[in-house]
Amino acid sequence: MVVEAPFDRSVQDVGNILMMEHVNVLVPDQRLAQIFYISGLGLTRDPYMMVGQDNMWANAGKQQFHLPTRGQQVLRGVIGIEVPDIEALKARLEAVKPLLEGTQFSCSVDGDAVLATCPWGNRFRCTQGEAYANEWPVGIPYVEFHVPAGAAEKIARFYREIIDAPSIVEDNVAHVRMGLKQELRFRETDEELPPYDGHHIAVYISNFSGPHAFLNARGLITEETNDYQYRFEDIVDLDTGETLFKIEHEVRSATHPMFQRSLVNRNASQNLQQYVHGRDALVP
């Protein structure tokens, strides 16, 4: 017997991308990176991995920023960050301002959000939001890329048909769903975009071989890393093969040894003046 469904079941579809794990941008100075990402944004330096001066992993809930010391990269768009206390974030960014003088650092308030720019020009929109309600109170809910006018529909189709990720377009922005509460956004712009400089994102996918077969047949795989990881960077028009946008995807399988690795997150509100025993760690 066919029963008329009272709910839109497609709303709960997760899709093939299980989660976005990290955003990787090169930085030229670890000291300035630590001031901005750790002291300013309130993130946590991973205490177990990349603890030297050649790289830093900054934990943000279940996500990370990877910050190798090998030059400078700027993501063409905006990175969304959720924080547990927006007023505390404002105070931290104000406190680090003198230490970042002479760089591209800036911060301002836009309604309920705080807009921050790192010392090298990467832009962040920080909110005290609800996307991570009942889970981690800090995280990276989205990365928004600026793409050429007319590209959003074709990009959404690429992710829908090749990556098997639910994707829609609203107001010239492609929204690509990742896991439960993350998305990639591709916002059309008429402005001239800077050349791609190699920054990348890392995603875990459940159907690991399907996208690989399509990409490999068209010569789009840029790195065959190991059994459980490969990379590609060209998002292409499925009709013409034309490259619509470049962003390297570090594609990982669910068998990757770091999948669902537990990340240490500190409670950035702890301080000497208002210390609370047992509250050093940020908990979901």
Side-chain angles (χ1 to χ4, degrees):
M1 180 177 65
V2 177
V3 178
E4 184 177 350
F7 308 104
D8 180 359
R9 298 302 184 187
S10 67
V11 173
Q12 306 304 324
D13 290 343
V14 173
N16 193 31
I17 305 179
L18 302 173
M19 69 174 292
M20 183 194 70
E21 190 217 40
H22 70 254
V23 176
N24 184 299
V25 289
L26 303 185
V27 299
D29 188 322
Q30 284 292 325
R31 173 182 168 272
L32 294 180
Q34 180 146 332
I35 290 171
F36 178 75
Y37 286 92
I38 308 304
S39 299
L41 293 182
L43 307 183
T44 304
R45 177 158 194 173
D46 194 301
Y48 304 119
M49 302 289 292
M50 303 301 171
V51 296
Q53 291 300 301
D54 58 339
N55 199 346
M56 174 170 64
W57 288 5
N59 297 342
K62 297 173 71 173
Q63 289 79 52
Q64 295 180 318
F65 289 97
H66 289 187
L67 306 163
T69 321
R70 292 198 308 271
Q72 178 175 323
Q73 292 176 336
V74 179
L75 185 140
R76 298 157 299 166
V78 179
I79 301 167
I81 295 183
E82 287 189 345
V83 298
D85 188 335
I86 200 73
E87 294 303 320
L89 173 67
K90 294 175 184 177
R92 288 195 303 269
L93 291 174
E94 191 64 29
V96 301
K97 187 180 294 185
L99 301 174
L100 299 176
E101 187 174 353
T103 72
Q104 295 185 51
F105 169 76
S106 69
C107 60
S108 61
V109 175
D110 180 24
D112 294 334
V114 170
L115 308 181
T117 302
C118 86
W120 305 283
N122 285 292
R123 292 177 289 171
F124 302 83
R125 183 178 180 85
C126 309
T127 56
Q128 184 176 316
E130 297 181 355
Y132 277 76
N134 302 316
E135 203 178 353
W136 285 101
V138 61
I140 306 174
Y142 68 88
V143 178
E144 178 178 297
F145 298 104
H146 295 166
V147 301
E153 288 283 359
K154 297 173 183 178
I155 289 174
R157 182 187 172 201
F158 174 87
Y159 280 96
R160 238 184 354 256
E161 297 186 15
I162 306 308
I163 310 300
D164 193 20
S167 306
I168 61 171
V169 176
E170 295 179 338
D171 298 325
N172 298 319
V173 180
H175 298 262
V176 179
R177 187 168 185 178
M178 300 184 295
L180 299 177
K181 294 165 183 170
Q182 285 182 296
E183 66 177 21
L184 294 177
R185 299 177 184 173
F186 296 88
R187 184 179 297 276
E188 293 184 6
T189 178
D190 292 324
E191 297 180 4
E192 184 176 354
L193 297 172
Y196 175 53
D197 62 13
H199 53 275
H200 76 258
I201 59 172
V203 296
Y204 288 96
I205 65 176
S206 55
N207 180 354
F208 188 62
S209 62
H212 180 275
F214 173 91
L215 296 165
N216 192 43
R218 289 155 183 80
L220 298 176
I221 298 294
T222 57
E223 180 181 289
E224 295 282 11
T225 316
N226 49 44
D227 286 350
Y228 36 77
Q229 181 175 302
Y230 58 85
R231 299 186 185 223
F232 76 92
E233 65 180 40
D234 285 359
I235 301 171
V236 298
D237 185 321
L238 297 185
D239 292 326
T240 67
E242 173 192 4
T243 297
L244 302 167
F245 189 70
K246 283 182 176 287
I247 173 65
E248 184 174 72
H249 294 59
E250 181 179 317
V251 182
R252 297 177 173 184
S253 69
T255 61
H256 194 288
M258 283 196 173
F259 181 51
Q260 294 187 330
R261 173 179 174 245
S262 296
L263 301 182
V264 175
N265 285 270
R266 67 192 179 95
N267 178 2
S269 67
Q270 287 279 54
N271 58 57
L272 291 175
Q273 290 72 37
Q274 297 176 320
Y275 183 78
V276 180
H277 282 280
R279 299 291 180 87
D280 288 337
L282 191 65
V283 295

